[in-house]
Amino acid sequence: MSHVEKEKKKLLNRLKRLRGQIEAIERAVEEDRECARVLQQATACRGALDGFIAEVIEDHIREHLVDPASPPDSPQRAAADELVEIVHAYLT
């Protein structure tokens, strides 16, 4: 089972929220809402997409770059944790 399959429900829920945010932007444009409101919604949408991307990258790192049999204090796990923190800092 791939890491995406393991987290499928959580990822799909994120995507459904993202779809709702995109639809809200579309409605705001159709209704000629003020630019600040449209930009605020677009920024929120970008943040949600960045969060989704960060989650998939984190799952990939933990599933494919770290041996599950390695001890919790192994250098590989520490490096993976550091990389996950960097990804989250950059994307979220």
Side-chain angles (χ1 to χ4, degrees):
M1 180 182 302
S2 78
H3 60 93
V4 173
E5 288 179 82
K6 290 179 185 175
E7 302 293 332
K8 185 184 271 187
K9 184 174 182 169
K10 178 174 61 172
L11 294 174
L12 287 173
N13 284 337
R14 279 182 173 263
L15 290 171
K16 288 175 185 175
R17 285 192 302 274
L18 187 57
R19 181 185 309 129
Q21 288 176 306
I22 290 171
E23 289 170 353
I25 295 169
E26 183 179 6
R27 282 191 305 274
V29 171
E30 286 175 349
E31 296 169 1
D32 295 322
R33 297 275 171 98
E34 63 183 66
C35 294
R37 181 67 181 142
V38 173
L39 289 171
Q40 181 183 33
Q41 288 177 315
T43 302
C45 186
R46 182 181 63 189
L49 183 57
D50 285 346
F52 173 81
I53 292 168
E55 186 72 29
V56 173
I57 291 172
E58 177 181 352
D59 291 346
H60 182 80
I61 290 167
R62 297 198 188 283
E63 183 75 19
H64 297 289
L65 300 179
V66 179
D67 180 2
S70 66
D73 60 347
S74 73
Q76 292 81 10
R77 284 189 190 256
D81 290 342
E82 183 179 357
L83 183 56
V84 166
E85 286 180 31
I86 291 167
V87 167
H88 279 281
Y90 181 74
L91 290 174
T92 60

